[in-house]
Amino acid sequence: MTTGYRSSPVRTLLFALVYAAAVYAGRRTAMVADGVSLVWPAAGVGVVWFCANRDAPTRHLDMILLAVILGLGNWLTDTSPAVAVVAAVAGLVQVWLFLWGLRRWRPNLWGAGGTGTLRSPRDLWALFAVTILTCVGTHVVSLVGRGLVTHSFPIAFSVMALARHIASILIIGAAGIYIGAGLNRWRARPPRRRLSFWRTAEIAGIFTLSVAGHVGAFAYEHGLPLSFALLGLTVLVGTRLSTPWVLLHNSVISTIAVQYTLHGTGPFAHIDDVGRRAVIVQLFCILVALVGLALALGRDERTTLLTALAEEKAELDTQKNLLTAVIDSMADGLAVIDSDSRITMRNPAVTELLGGRCSPDDVLAGTDWYGLYRVDGSRYADDELAHLRALAGEDVRGVDMLVRNPGVPEGRILRVTATALPHPDGTSSAVVLFHDVTAERRHRDELTNFAGVVAHDLLNPLASIEGWTAAALDSLDGVPAHPNLDQAHADLARLTRASARMRGLIDGLLAYTTAREATVAPARVDLAEVVADITQARSDSAVAAGKPEPRFTITGLPAVQADPVLVRQLVDNLVGNAVKYTAPGVVPRVAISADTSGGMVTVRIVDNGIGIPEGQHDAIFGNFHRAHTSGGYLGTGLGLAICKRIVERHGGDISAADDPGGGSCFTFSLPAAVTHPHLSSV
Ligand code: ADP
């Protein structure tokens, strides 16, 4: 905290005056006890003064003033000049030690460099520890100093001085920190809430009761053993009144106790020696301050925690409501199912997707109740439902399930994803997501059926066309030259090419339906071998067709766990495209590489071809989509759709991108081989 230049001289002056008054008050008590001060408010005032002016430009003036006031105060009240100097030095040591200790253990507090106030019992204990350290340190200095100048070491004097200094710093210092931090806060945020009538009455009542009780106990010489009740009053104040009231209470009660005791009345008046009496009453004051503050700060800490908890709860409630609103408005069904298959949470979409059904005890076991089947219509085995598989530790992603019950007699296909959700108590639930894919699947199935039927049905007539074309060509052999003969040959050649294109299309359609429907039989497939075979065949056919021979660079291809037939089809399509889609006259260069991570092998096929037109990188994986219709590149637009299907059926991904060196880059992933993977390069 930096203190303003203009306000610090004013503060210096004010504190110096208060300090002088405190020294005077303290020394006045020395009159009744052979020159020994019985209370020492100046200790508390001094530390608060230096806390307030900690970084002020006037702090050197503060030090001089403190030393002068303290020295003069002692000297003028019958102390020798040498002892007065020792007292002045000890006073400076005291404030220095206090500031140092506070800075070290509670740097966030006002006066220690921060702006904070006492907030918890921990702050109080830190302040208490700093106070004790300060006072012990000061009294060592003071004792040694006095010893040097007076050649005597008054231990009893020191114990008394210790008690009065601790009481003073604890009571006045705590109040000073509280007021200093409060003023800081008040400047930033002055308005305060008003107290209710009953609360005001309670504060006034308890405060008055305690003050009256203490006056009653200390002011009169009635001989009644009332001291037991006094701490009870402090407990009442500490538990019911706020910290500022407790601080005020400490000061008032200390003043009452010290004043009356020194004048010979109250519970401690029977102690004959006035010095001992002073020590006991100081200890009483320290106890009152500690008990009151510990209770009040404990409550403050609790209140702060409760407020923080309440704010957190409100925040959590808001988030929960938002989340519930989002989940409830989802078209996808989301349910949490426990280990007994009980649905503990579901959004409205779940009921809707399950045909509006809700089993009496909300248990999702009932294939019979909910009508849950495999997509082929067969019944699930006992532990085969997605949530049970997830609870058994499997990560179930995108499994199709058929729901057919009176609510959805025509059947609905749901894609189910289930993940286990472990609980702190060791049990777990499954979070299940249902996505309606009925329309998608129907469309796909219709297309597949159509493609399959058409392909098969066209093969026969096509075979006839090819057969008859070949027969016609044969019968033209040996026909004598005729002007129409060349034309007939040319027409039949066109017919042959058209039939070949049609066969290509039919083969594509059949491959497409196979890729969709055929059961995947995963086995260990050595990618390096497959790629070597395919690239060799591509090179041979390019040479045979009189085209530039493609150059292949193949690196680090591991084994994969996949269906060998489908993998060959996949690689053949991609390598075929990489060679096919190059500009005329350019030697195709294709680089094939792979890396393995997280149990998946990612293969990259990079070419130096004509590239994929802007914005079509995803579309080319659709059925019959052709991005290059001009330029004489023949094709059906089915190859990449087949590739995508093959990769997806193995749980992988496929994508296309532009290669920075020109050309395209196709990337696909397949599961890595389960046993003994090895890398090989060709
Ligand atoms: P096609 O039988 O037409 O080759 P594909 O499904 O294999 O059908 O490919 C779809 C389209 O994607 C192709 O028509 C072509 O436009 C584009 N394509 C595929 N591979 C490449 C490639 N390596 N470079 C550039 N374009 C490509």
Side-chain angles (χ1 to χ4, degrees):
M1 186 199 72
T2 312
T3 314
Y5 181 81
R6 266 190 298 167
S7 54
S8 66
V10 178
R11 241 195 329 268
T12 295
L13 189 68
L14 285 177
F15 270 112
L17 288 174
V18 176
Y19 188 74
V23 169
Y24 174 72
R27 289 304 297 162
R28 232 171 63 102
T29 61
M31 307 304 163
V32 287
D34 308 329
V36 177
S37 299
L38 299 174
V39 289
W40 195 246
V45 175
V47 296
V48 176
W49 175 6
F50 277 71
C51 278
N53 270 5
R54 173 178 193 108
D55 298 318
T58 52
R59 59 188 178 282
H60 294 113
L61 179 64
D62 291 335
M63 287 161 69
I64 296 167
L65 280 175
L66 181 130
V68 168
I69 295 171
L70 197 52
L72 273 180
N74 275 274
W75 184 51
L76 292 178
T77 48
D78 295 341
T79 314
S80 72
V83 172
V85 170
V86 171
V89 172
L92 285 176
V93 169
Q94 186 162 58
V95 289
W96 181 85
L97 271 177
F98 185 83
L99 290 191
W100 176 84
L102 206 61
R103 171 98 194 194
R104 187 163 163 70
W105 283 299
R106 276 296 178 274
N108 60 315
L109 285 188
W110 177 87
T115 54
T117 188
L118 300 172
R119 282 185 207 289
S120 67
R122 275 196 311 282
D123 289 338
L124 174 66
W125 304 135
L127 176 70
F128 191 44
V130 172
T131 305
I132 289 180
L133 174 106
T134 304
C135 295
V136 170
T138 309
H139 284 88
V140 169
V141 171
S142 169
L143 201 62
V144 171
R146 272 172 184 264
L148 289 177
V149 296
T150 62
H151 303 292
S152 72
F153 294 92
I155 300 292
F157 157 82
S158 261
V159 171
M160 196 196 320
L162 203 60
R164 71 180 188 228
H165 279 244
I166 290 173
S168 171
I169 295 183
L170 188 66
I171 294 166
I172 300 177
I177 290 173
Y178 210 87
I179 292 169
L183 283 176
N184 261 354
R185 270 209 311 276
W186 188 79
R187 273 193 218 111
R189 185 166 43 89
R192 292 174 54 83
R193 67 192 164 84
R194 286 173 63 86
L195 294 177
S196 71
F197 169 77
W198 291 112
R199 178 69 183 138
T200 315
E202 184 186 26
I203 294 170
I206 292 178
F207 201 90
T208 313
L209 179 70
S210 179
V211 171
H214 282 83
V215 170
F218 279 97
Y220 304 103
E221 197 43 68
H222 39 57
L224 296 174
L226 284 182
S227 31
F228 74 93
L230 297 181
L231 273 182
L233 288 172
T234 298
V235 170
L236 191 61
V237 168
T239 30
R240 290 306 304 156
L241 302 198
S242 57
T243 310
W245 286 108
V246 173
L247 290 163
L248 181 65
H249 179 260
N250 290 345
S251 310
V252 172
I253 298 308
S254 304
T255 312
I256 292 172
V258 168
Q259 280 300 325
Y260 287 114
T261 304
L262 292 184
H263 286 98
T265 56
F268 311 123
H270 61 272
I271 306 171
D272 291 335
D273 177 39
V274 75
R276 279 197 198 142
R277 213 187 297 165
V279 171
I280 295 298
V281 79
Q282 303 283 358
L283 290 180
F284 173 77
C285 296
I286 292 173
L287 202 62
V288 165
L290 284 181
V291 170
L293 280 175
L295 289 170
L297 292 173
R299 192 202 37 230
D300 284 0
E301 189 180 35
R302 221 168 29 248
T303 311
T304 313
L305 287 177
L306 286 177
T307 314
L309 266 181
E311 279 168 7
E312 219 162 90
K313 186 173 176 299
E315 170 76 5
L316 278 178
D317 282 349
T318 317
Q319 278 183 13
K320 184 176 153 232
N321 292 341
L322 186 72
L323 208 65
T324 311
V326 170
I327 291 174
D328 285 356
S329 64
M330 272 167 52
D332 283 354
L334 183 75
V336 178
I337 303 176
D338 69 13
S339 47
D340 300 329
S341 291
R342 203 173 302 278
I343 304 178
T344 51
M345 195 220 95
R346 64 160 92 199
N347 68 352
V350 171
T351 318
E352 162 97 25
L353 291 173
L354 294 179
R357 286 175 86 78
C358 230
S359 79
D361 41 6
D362 233 3
V363 167
L364 192 71
T367 290
D368 294 333
W369 180 269
Y370 285 101
L372 310 179
Y373 303 95
R374 295 198 194 99
V375 261
D376 61 7
S378 60
R379 296 175 71 92
Y380 279 115
D382 279 352
D383 53 355
E384 221 184 333
L385 280 169
H387 68 276
L388 295 174
R389 284 166 58 190
L391 285 171
E394 202 180 320
D395 195 18
V396 184
R397 307 236 142 245
V399 182
D400 284 359
M401 176 176 84
L402 173 68
V403 182
R404 189 181 291 123
N405 60 41
V408 262
E410 73 288 1
R412 173 176 288 149
I413 300 172
L414 302 181
R415 195 171 66 216
V416 187
T417 297
T419 321
L421 181 75
H423 299 304
D425 62 1
T427 60
S428 49
S429 306
V431 181
V432 187
L433 191 71
F434 300 98
H435 179 64
D436 189 351
V437 289
T438 316
E440 215 176 288
R441 295 290 185 267
R442 291 230 162 103
H443 175 73
R444 195 189 73 190
D445 292 348
E446 275 163 17
L447 191 72
T448 312
N449 291 342
F450 172 77
V453 170
V454 166
H456 274 113
D457 290 359
L458 286 180
L459 273 179
N460 278 340
L462 180 64
S464 305
I465 292 170
E466 285 169 340
W468 287 115
T469 312
L473 275 169
D474 285 351
S475 49
L476 286 183
D477 281 351
V479 174
H482 184 273
N484 286 344
L485 186 62
D486 288 345
Q487 184 61 42
H489 267 293
D491 290 347
L492 285 175
R494 261 188 225 109
L495 193 57
T496 310
R497 279 201 301 277
S499 316
R501 268 208 306 281
M502 192 162 177
R503 179 165 287 281
L505 185 60
I506 291 170
D507 286 347
L509 282 173
L510 279 174
Y512 176 72
T513 41
T514 318
R516 281 218 169 289
E517 299 309 319
T519 8
V520 174
R524 182 187 166 85
V525 180
D526 191 340
L527 263 188
E529 254 170 40
V530 173
V531 168
D533 258 15
I534 288 170
T535 49
Q536 187 59 55
R538 289 283 164 185
S539 296
D540 292 349
S541 63
V543 172
K547 292 185 181 161
E549 188 185 346
R551 301 256 176 269
F552 294 102
T553 316
I554 301 160
T555 40
L557 298 182
V560 290
Q561 194 70 19
D563 186 303
V565 177
L566 295 180
V567 169
R568 186 167 282 273
Q569 199 176 352
L570 166 71
V571 177
D572 191 49
N573 271 340
L574 293 174
V575 171
N577 280 350
V579 172
K580 177 165 65 168
Y581 291 102
T582 38
V586 172
V587 178
R589 289 180 189 282
V590 184
I592 305 168
S593 59
D595 54 63
T596 310
S597 93
M600 297 295 279
V601 173
T602 304
V603 180
R604 285 160 52 83
I605 300 181
V606 181
D607 63 46
N608 65 336
I610 53 176
I612 300 156
E614 177 87 25
Q616 300 205 33
H617 295 73
D618 288 333
I620 53 173
F621 292 99
N623 301 328
F624 305 110
H625 187 96
R626 306 210 61 226
H628 301 99
T629 40
S630 58
Y633 299 100
L634 297 179
T636 58
L638 276 173
L640 290 181
I642 293 169
C643 292
K644 184 170 165 68
R645 183 63 191 158
I646 292 175
V647 171
E648 278 177 353
R649 292 198 72 187
H650 287 87
D653 275 326
I654 184 165
S655 61
D658 293 330
D659 184 60
S664 338
C665 168
F666 284 79
T667 310
F668 68 86
S669 55
L670 290 174
V674 181
T675 49
H676 312 303
H678 69 277
L679 295 177
S680 62
S681 51
V682 178

